[in-house]
Amino acid sequence: MRIVIAGGHGQIALRLERLLAARGDEVAGIIRKAEQADDLREAGAEPVVLDLESASVDEVADRLRGADAAVFAAGAGPGSGVARKDTVDKAAAVLFADAAVKAGVRRFVIVSSMGADPRHQGDEIFDVYLRAKGEADAYVRGLDGLDWTILRPGQLTDDAGTGLVRLEARTGRGPIPRDDVAAVLAELVDTSATAGLTLELISGSAPVSVAVKSVAGN
């Protein structure tokens, strides 16, 4: 498969790139800064320098053409202000989804957040973030041109992955290592039977492949 990842230098994305490249997939990661390119090459991914906050739909679609799947793993990051929650966590996700439709890339996986909700109340930065992620999710759900899956991890940690997870429509809150989020994404990209599902993810007792097959109905 050829897989294009938005937010290619993110902590989850770099892990995902290594996993996909190791299994023989062709991976491209969209990055904002050229100086991040070597990190992607080291992970086995082709760096694509493109700023999703200023690019047009046509520009992004050009980078997506020929891909078998697209993964939106970009985020404004914890140090960013309110404005970038809207321009990255919402607007860039919408742009990437529109570009996937235009490029004919049906398989689309978006990394969201537990608690994401377009109706979430509050004015703190995290409130704005959850609202932006929820609005992006709602937009993606409305696109007939995508076979989308929305993944909502719990509290992200840098602990070593265990390969054991709980993946369900509702899991309740809990932690999840970024390693395991990447492992689940790698399985989801390859499992089109999870299209149309919004899934929460925390650490659990099921091996990743078993958890994904279970929600896919296999």
Side-chain angles (χ1 to χ4, degrees):
M1 292 177 74
R2 176 171 171 80
I3 299 150
V4 179
I5 301 170
H9 195 257
Q11 295 185 69
I12 290 171
L14 285 168
R15 288 166 166 85
L16 176 59
E17 286 154 7
R18 288 188 196 98
L19 291 174
L20 295 174
R23 77 181 190 192
D25 288 326
E26 184 184 333
V27 193
I30 295 176
I31 52 176
R32 202 159 49 95
K33 301 174 182 174
E35 57 265 31
Q36 298 170 335
D38 284 346
D39 290 338
L40 268 74
R41 291 190 191 98
E42 190 182 318
E46 167 201 340
V48 177
V49 180
L50 185 68
D51 187 348
L52 293 177
E53 289 179 88
S54 59
S56 69
V57 171
D58 285 337
E59 286 173 318
V60 182
D62 283 345
R63 308 309 200 282
L64 279 164
R65 279 197 182 85
D68 299 293
V71 178
F72 185 83
S80 59
V82 166
R84 295 198 71 229
K85 304 305 180 195
D86 190 61
T87 59
V88 179
D89 293 298
K90 178 187 173 183
V94 166
L95 173 73
F96 197 60
D98 284 341
V101 172
K102 186 155 198 167
V105 182
R106 288 203 64 91
R107 187 70 182 120
F108 190 91
V109 179
I110 182 167
V111 183
S112 184
S113 174
M114 197 170 288
D117 184 346
R119 296 174 302 280
H120 182 85
Q121 299 297 308
D123 300 314
E124 298 296 322
I125 286 183
F126 194 64
D127 297 321
V128 176
Y129 168 76
L130 290 176
R131 199 156 51 241
K133 294 297 277 186
E135 288 167 350
D137 293 353
Y139 186 84
V140 167
R141 284 194 191 105
L143 294 175
D144 292 336
L146 296 181
D147 295 328
W148 54 265
T149 302
I150 296 168
L151 182 66
R152 293 179 167 175
Q155 179 192 352
L156 298 171
T157 76
D158 288 323
D159 296 340
T162 65
L164 299 172
V165 300
R166 183 176 173 195
L167 180 70
E168 297 169 17
R170 292 281 182 274
T171 62
R173 296 192 175 274
I176 181 77
R178 288 178 172 88
D179 286 350
D180 290 334
V181 177
V184 168
L185 287 169
E187 288 281 337
L188 288 175
V189 160
D190 217 16
T191 312
S192 57
T194 59
L197 299 180
T198 300
L199 300 167
E200 294 184 350
L201 173 67
I202 58 174
S203 291
S205 58
V208 167
S209 60
V210 173
V212 172
K213 285 185 174 74
S214 177
V215 294
N218 298 329

